């Protein structure tokens, strides 16, 4: 340090620690690059205004405690007392993301140029809400960096692929969460898990599919959404579609209203085929939304007849090779299935709580196909890979295969092979407890109502080419038409 400024030094030190925590704020991108990982934490511009003392507020304070913080969600701002005046913090539209790759070396505790026109509407609304502020002068105004993530939650937990490396990054409201973050991170380090569910903060909720452009645009959208009215099952539109299954276009043609999970486009329900673009947005409610009738019809159709679920976005891993059986027997808590069979099982924590649920298909003596939640591909892979370090290296095949399980009461009837679903365009179907391979290798014959999965490479010609005389749609799942050997009365 020279004259109060930090200067470069040639000194180098090796520091050994059992655990390392990164909490680098706006420098999260540079930190991620040093660690060899990806992060969606990107800075967004944030402006706020500090006024001169407001005589009305000063007079009010003579007989009252500190003024409560005001939050006007419709006007997209908060305001609080500051030394007899006000601080106005707007969350306006159009705030840009900055430094998608790293903070420039020349930027220290600096500020961005002001863009007061961008927050003019919020400032006028503030005056309308607190009329005495109209004649109060502006004392200071700021435009500085604030770190965001695509969903607004920080990144707290183990770094992907690294042992005993912990992240505490992406805090848009840092000081508010600082105490709790330290408390629960300490529990993760010492106990292996926290006393609360930390999944919504886990850094691995964003996988390697995430691009820098995606993170930047979604962070801008998240900033803009701080003060909107949030409905249940809210879907946000920026950077979509990003990841699509082969049947995506056909699903859209059938009226699918899409949601996004882990970057994947997945139908939430099927509405009218000619629905306007804002149909789903206008269907939301704090009670029973307008989507209910469509979801109900889908559930009843599958309950009474048959439908296909597009489960392509579900997480899929391959564990194979010498030691695969011994590893999975150690890793999971249920008996492993026999070859050609399937089991549901759990991977547990050291405390005996559930870490992950897996559906395990045994393809060969030492080859297993693991299926788990679509939202947690990177989370499950990291847990699997770290546990298998001394055994083998599992492979993720989520993006390379398409899974299409038929479901419904009529699945007790044989399934007729679709014309375009042949050995040249499909893999061997995933077996189930009551499912046997038919004469045609591309499609199984179901002997009960349990689902049989039709698996095919994602580049397969099945994209929109299956025969379409059954348009049964299952609730909360993507479906599209195909042909079934079912009685006429059962055809949806």
């Amino acid at each position: 340090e020279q004259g109060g400024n930090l200067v470069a030094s040639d000194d180098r030190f090796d520091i050994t620690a059992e655990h390392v925590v990164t909490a680098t704020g706006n420098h999260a991108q540079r930190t991620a690059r040093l660690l060899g990982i990806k992060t969606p934490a990107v800075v967004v511009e944030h402006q706020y205004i500090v006024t001169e003392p407001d005589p009305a507020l000063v007079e009010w304070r003579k007989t009252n405690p500190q003024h409560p913080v005001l939050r006007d969600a419709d006007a997209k701002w908060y305001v609080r007392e500051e030394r007899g005046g006000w601080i106005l913090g707007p969350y306006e539209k159009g705030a840009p993301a900055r430094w998608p790759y790293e903070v420039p070396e020349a930027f220290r505790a600096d500020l961005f140029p002001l863009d007061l026109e961008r927050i003019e509407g919020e400032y006028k609304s503030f005056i309308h809400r607190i009329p005495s502020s109209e004649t109060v002068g502006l004392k200071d105004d700021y435009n500085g960096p604030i770190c965001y993530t695509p969903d607004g939650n920080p990144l707290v937990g183990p770094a992907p692929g690294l042992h005993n490396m912990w992240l505490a990054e992406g805090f848009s409201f840092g000081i508010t969460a600082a105490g709790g973050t330290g408390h629960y991170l300490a529990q993760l380090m010492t106990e292996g898990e926290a006393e609360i569910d930390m999944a919504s903060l886990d850094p691995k909720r964003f996988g390697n599919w995430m691009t820098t452009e995606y993170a930047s645009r979604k962070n801008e959208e998240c900033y803009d959404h701080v003060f909107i009215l949030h409905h249940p099952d809210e879907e946000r539109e920026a950077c979509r579609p990003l990841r699509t299954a082969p049947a995506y276009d056909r699903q859209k043609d059938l009226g699918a209203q899409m949601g996004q999970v882990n970057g994947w486009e997945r139908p939430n329900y099927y509405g009218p085929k000619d629905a306007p673009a804002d149909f789903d947005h206008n269907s939301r409610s704090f009670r029973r939304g307008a989507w209910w009738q469509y979801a109900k019809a889908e559930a009843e159709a599958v309950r009474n007849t048959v439908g296909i679920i597009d489960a392509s976005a579900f997480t899929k891993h391959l564990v194979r090779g010498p030691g695969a059986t011994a590893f999975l027997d150690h890793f999971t808590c249920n008996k492993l299935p026999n070859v050609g069979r399937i089991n549901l099982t759990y991977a547990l924590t050291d405390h005996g709580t559930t870490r992950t649920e897996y559906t395990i298909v045994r393809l060969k003596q030492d080859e297993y196909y693991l299926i788990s939640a679509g939202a947690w591909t990177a989370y499950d892979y990291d847990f699997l890979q770290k546990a298998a370090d001394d055994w083998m290296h599992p492979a993720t095949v989520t993006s390379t295969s398409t899974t299409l399980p038929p479901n419904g009461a009529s699945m007790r009837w044989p399934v007729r092979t679709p014309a375009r679903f042949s050995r040249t365009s499909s893999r061997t179907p995933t077996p189930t407890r009551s499912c046997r391979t038919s004469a045609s290798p591309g499609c199984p014959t179901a002997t009960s109502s349990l689902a049989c999965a039709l698996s095919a490479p994602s580049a397969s010609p099945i994209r929109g080419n299956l025969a379409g005389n059954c348009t049964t749609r299952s609730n909360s799942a993507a479906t599209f038409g195909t042909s079934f050997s079912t009685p006429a009365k059962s055809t949806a």
Side-chain angles (χ1 to χ4, degrees), residues 36 52-53 61 64 85 104 107 160 165 184 221 242 245 266 293 311 323-324 393 413 435 454 474:
E52 297 285 355
R61 285 286 274 116
N64 292 280
F107 193 97
M165 175 64 70
Y184 294 120
E221 179 187 52
L242 181 66
R266 307 196 306 185
Q293 59 179 313
H393 296 288
W413 294 89
C435 184
L454 317 180
S474 63

Side-chain angles (χ1 to χ4, degrees), residues 16 21 42 53 78 135 159 171 283 308 311 379 392-393 400 407 434 439 450 491-492:
T16 302
V21 180
V42 175
Y78 75 88
T135 58
F171 289 87
S283 296
I308 294 180
Y379 179 91
M392 66 202 60
H393 296 288
T400 61
N407 289 264
S434 301
L450 292 177
T491 302

